[in-house]
Amino acid sequence: MKLFKGMPSRCAIAVATACVSQSAFSDDAVSLQVKPSQMVQGGTGLIQTPTSRMGEVGDLYMNYTDNNEYRFWSVNLQLFDWMQATARYTDVRTRLYSDVPSFSGDQTLKDKGLDVKFRLLEEGYYFPEVSLGFRDFGGTGFFESEYVTASKAYGPFDFHLGLGWGYMGTADDITNPFCKIRDSYCDRPSGFSGRGGKIDYDQFFKGPMAVFGGVEYQTPWEPLRLKLEFEGNNYQYDRAGALEQDSRWNLGAVYRWNNFDFTANYQRGNTFGFGVTYHFNMNTAKQVKFDDPPREIVDAKPAASLAELNKSRLYRSLAYDGGFILTDASVEEDEAIFYGNQIAYRNKAEAVNRIGRIAASELPESVKSYHIVENAGRLPMVDTVIDADAFKVAAKYEDIEADITQTYTRVAPSEDVLEKYEPNRTNGFFKGVDFFYTQSFGNPEDFYLYQGGLIFSGGYAFNENWAAVSSVRATLLDNFDKFSFRIDQDTSTLPRVRTMVREYVSNDLWLDTAILQWNDRLSDNVFAQAYGGYLETMFGGIGGEVLWQPVDSRIAFGVDVNYAKQRDYDEPFDFFDYDVITGHVSAYWQPEFLPDTMLTVSAGQFLAKDKGVNIDFAKRFDSGIIVGAYAAITNVSSEEYGEGSFTKGFYISVPLDLFTLMPSKGRGSFPWVPISRDGGQMLKRPGRLIDFTGPRSSFFD
């Protein structure tokens, strides 16, 4: 084993001085324990090196840092208490994006990177927290590293020690132990291919290895934290070129103000850096609501009999106090059934609680069960059956152990319930307006391209099964006029099913969809839909889908088949010659060991006639925010696919009631596709049954 190189004695003394016994701390000092903070490249860490520390579930950090040769924009998310992920853009100031001025001018080189870290061991009284991480594992490999790190807190001090390979191991402190097992681990293959997108498994834990670590100190002044770091990179193989390093010791400070962290650091013995971080928690995010509390029923005076029941008041209360818009109702001596749509309350338990309290305060004591049949459109989806007597006991707090959520069950509507359903207003016009916003980072023409505007939608419902629907997109703001590079002029083995996006988005007014749609319930748990027309911005055609979706099941299955023809981007009603049969068999799974997550696997043929599988991972937080990532692996080689190697992307879906003062349903979605090419592209169907049947699932609103 080699000795550490370049460790100044004064720094070693400083670290040793910091390692005082915990008994020496005052009570006030012990209470000022260090909270995790972000490092330069994003992710919990010191300055240039990561630590094993994790944040709270749902923690989201948005970072900007400036370090002379590099600028970093990063987003760090704590998906689970044992896993965090980081997405990063790097601006390399010393290099141009391209040697071709007509392509990117004098724009500097931009690079995307992805990191992930897993906790292997929680911190105990004697043992440190231990984590395993992979940096820049899915990009071009500018900073590709693997590491194991341990952290142990003592009062206001948090000590860290790690071992790094790759970028964090170039100082070559110690011999790679895997090299003793197999010679292939002694040297690390070059990771930069210029194409990116691949995960270089064959490089993991290979080549030189170095020690890194340090300490973070929470000062008695709570907003201020100090950092001392010893790093494992020698900066001789950086993408910015070989950088001068006078010392492996770095110093830093973090000042916290509300949700912001302001950082300053001195690195490599010769470089100053700074940064800013904005932090909030996606799990606990909420908006204050000006809304009446659920109705109290302790002093309620329900109707003595059905003859005395004020149905008009009951139905109005369901709408205004329960957010439940009726399409039909059946009230009998011992049973009440309400059919309708929930438009206000996302949380299913809150919606049931409110409606149950209204029913209990209005209906006669003879009514022993309340049925809340929630629709999708006009189709009954799920029947929430409330035991009236048990509900009243819990709602009146007559039994301290009573739980309202245990007084009802969610089931598929029975034949008896469906036979009594005679929906009103099943035909008529409808309309709506939505805002759209698309964005793209790291483009050759400009780092950030955006487009936003309004989508005007409307249609006519012929009955509970048939409807005609259309939408028009109107662009109000964008800088896509800079989007000058036309990749469709390049030679390619794949049909241009998505890379002509420039031609489509340049239309300020565009008919997005115009379809005739049918949907129905085939049995208790099987649903179907069919559609035809202009299905999306780039394709029209016909198609259909069948879905098996039991109520609150952790698994569902679906099949969709579509004939799609490419639309003419100059004439919105015309088509090009290209057509394709595309469709997938899909499985939707909510694993018990990953709370509030859905894994979707779809196998079939994509728009470019390539065959393979698309995998989508979605995580839902308590606030209703959903974050997800997807990847499509097909029989198209990385060379045929082009830059990026395979289709992948990320998205965040935000409930609108996080921005409103009154309860409301609805969502806004914000996608991020690092590189969009033609392989692995799915048809954007006018609606998925898994979303349409959302009331039957505990995952969806």
Side-chain angles (χ1 to χ4, degrees), residues 464-475:
E464 62 267 30
N465 302 115
W466 287 92
V469 185
S470 182
S471 62
V472 175
R473 171 171 47 86
T475 300

Side-chain angles (χ1 to χ4, degrees), residues 71-361:
R71 286 186 295 180
F72 299 101
W73 295 266
S74 63
V75 176
N76 174 250
L77 173 62
Q78 191 75 39
L79 282 167
F80 304 97
D81 60 357
W82 49 268
M83 176 188 176
Q84 68 174 218
T86 303
R88 174 180 54 258
Y89 270 98
T90 303
D91 177 16
V92 186
R93 285 186 168 128
T94 60
R95 295 184 180 271
L96 291 177
Y97 196 104
S98 167
D99 296 331
V100 182
S102 61
F103 176 46
S104 56
D106 59 358
Q107 185 185 177
T108 52
L109 179 62
K110 306 296 190 298
D111 175 66
K112 296 171 292 293
L114 296 174
D115 306 345
V116 65
K117 181 167 66 176
F118 305 94
R119 186 177 64 202
L120 305 180
L121 180 67
E122 289 191 66
E123 183 177 12
Y125 186 82
Y126 295 105
F127 296 100
E129 181 179 53
V130 178
S131 293
L132 169 69
F134 301 85
R135 176 186 287 183
D136 207 0
F137 69 93
T140 52
F142 279 17
F143 308 103
E144 189 174 64
S145 305
E146 305 82 51
Y147 61 88
V148 177
T149 180
S151 300
K152 193 74 176 74
Y154 290 92
F157 291 92
D158 202 13
F159 297 96
H160 313 282
L161 182 65
L163 299 174
W165 292 258
Y167 185 79
M168 289 192 290
T170 55
D172 196 12
D173 284 325
I174 59 178
T175 301
N176 187 344
F178 298 114
C179 180
K180 300 294 185 181
I181 301 173
R182 183 174 295 180
D183 290 343
S184 60
Y185 281 88
C186 297
D187 299 303
R188 190 178 185 91
S190 174
F192 177 68
S193 64
R195 183 173 299 275
K198 290 184 176 180
I199 299 176
D200 295 318
Y201 302 104
D202 61 335
Q203 298 193 150
F204 287 174
F205 304 104
K206 291 184 177 180
M209 182 177 171
V211 172
F212 62 85
V215 60
E216 187 167 4
Y217 170 60
Q218 172 62 63
T219 70
W221 185 36
E222 191 168 358
L224 181 64
R225 282 164 289 167
L226 303 177
K227 298 181 178 183
L228 173 66
E229 169 189 79
F230 182 74
E231 64 172 316
N233 179 28
N234 65 11
Y235 291 93
Q236 298 306 298
Y237 309 99
D238 270 56
R239 186 58 176 161
L243 305 180
E244 183 179 355
Q245 184 184 45
D246 296 331
S247 172
R248 288 174 62 183
W249 288 93
N250 302 325
L251 300 171
V254 181
Y255 177 81
R256 174 158 292 182
W257 175 73
N258 292 330
N259 286 43
F260 289 91
D261 279 358
F262 299 93
T263 61
N265 55 69
Y266 184 64
Q267 304 176 42
R268 309 198 307 266
N270 53 36
T271 301
F272 286 98
F274 64 90
V276 60
T277 294
Y278 177 73
H279 160 251
F280 73 98
N281 189 281
M282 300 175 72
N283 200 46
T284 58
K286 60 183 179 180
Q287 171 67 281
V288 174
K289 293 289 187 288
F290 292 98
D291 187 27
D292 293 331
R295 182 178 296 187
E296 289 290 347
I297 64 173
V298 174
D299 298 322
K301 296 180 180 180
S305 65
L306 288 182
E308 297 181 13
L309 176 64
N310 188 334
K311 290 186 177 180
S312 295
R313 185 177 65 191
L314 170 61
Y315 298 161
R316 284 197 306 270
S317 296
L318 289 174
Y320 292 113
D321 298 334
F324 196 69
I325 305 302
L326 290 175
T327 56
D328 193 17
S330 172
V331 181
E332 299 176 351
E333 190 67 31
D334 62 345
E335 180 183 69
I337 308 175
F338 305 110
Y339 309 84
N341 300 84
Q342 177 57 246
I343 64 169
Y345 298 99
R346 291 188 299 105
N347 184 282
K348 292 178 173 62
E350 181 180 6
V352 171
N353 181 33
R354 285 179 171 271
I355 295 171
R357 287 173 177 269
I358 294 168
S361 63

Side-chain angles (χ1 to χ4, degrees), residues 15-87:
V15 173
T17 303
C19 296
V20 293
S21 65
Q22 189 168 356
S23 61
F25 301 142
S26 67
D27 291 340
D28 291 338
V30 172
S31 67
L32 292 173
Q33 295 183 352
V34 181
K35 296 179 180 178
S37 58
Q38 298 284 292
M39 59 181 171
V40 165
Q41 296 193 29
T44 53
L46 291 169
I47 303 168
Q48 285 285 349
T49 63
T51 67
S52 69
R53 294 306 185 195
M54 299 285 176
E56 300 291 330
V57 173
D59 274 349
L60 180 72
Y61 295 87
M62 294 179 286
N63 310 295
Y64 169 76
T65 57
D66 190 305
N67 289 271
N68 198 13
E69 296 86 2
Y70 295 113
R71 286 186 295 180
F72 299 101
W73 295 266
S74 63
V75 176
N76 174 250
L77 173 62
Q78 191 75 39
L79 282 167
F80 304 97
D81 60 357
W82 49 268
M83 176 188 176
Q84 68 174 218
T86 303

Side-chain angles (χ1 to χ4, degrees), residues 438-616:
T438 59
Q439 57 189 353
S440 179
F441 297 88
N443 305 280
E445 298 89 351
D446 197 284
F447 175 71
Y448 183 61
L449 296 178
Y450 61 88
Q451 184 181 57
L454 297 175
I455 295 178
F456 301 91
S457 60
Y460 184 83
F462 300 100
N463 53 42
E464 62 267 30
N465 302 115
W466 287 92
V469 185
S470 182
S471 62
V472 175
R473 171 171 47 86
T475 300
L476 300 180
L477 68 161
D478 76 318
N479 66 346
F480 273 22
D481 57 328
K482 299 179 181 180
F483 196 176
S484 58
F485 178 58
R486 295 181 59 162
I487 192 170
D488 53 288
Q489 294 176 340
D490 288 358
T491 59
S492 174
T493 59
L494 294 176
R496 295 300 188 191
V497 296
R498 290 298 184 209
T499 50
M500 289 191 291
V501 60
R502 172 190 176 276
E503 285 73 11
Y504 290 96
V505 301
S506 61
N507 295 285
D508 291 336
L509 194 66
W510 185 256
L511 177 69
D512 264 0
T513 62
I515 62 170
L516 181 65
Q517 189 170 27
W518 166 88
N519 51 56
D520 203 355
R521 176 177 177 271
L522 302 184
S523 68
D524 280 354
N525 299 316
V526 179
F527 299 84
Q529 69 166 338
Y531 41 80
Y534 299 103
L535 303 179
E536 52 139 293
T537 302
M538 301 183 188
F539 283 88
I542 59 173
E545 180 185 12
V546 177
L547 176 74
W548 177 75
Q549 167 71 298
V551 173
D552 290 336
S553 172
R554 288 188 173 273
I555 193 164
F557 296 99
V559 179
D560 69 275
V561 179
N562 311 272
Y563 168 75
K565 193 172 179 67
Q566 193 168 31
R567 297 176 63 184
D568 188 328
Y569 46 73
D570 289 324
E571 299 292 337
F573 298 103
D574 292 343
F575 292 89
F576 292 126
D577 292 334
Y578 181 77
D579 60 359
V580 59
I581 300 294
T582 179
H584 294 81
V585 177
S586 300
Y588 308 89
W589 180 35
Q590 299 178 56
E592 290 189 44
F593 57 88
L594 293 177
D596 300 317
T597 64
M598 177 174 284
L599 182 66
T600 303
V601 180
S602 301
Q605 179 159 287
F606 295 85
L607 283 174
K609 300 182 180 178
D610 49 330
K611 300 174 178 62
V613 61
N614 185 88
I615 301 174
D616 184 291

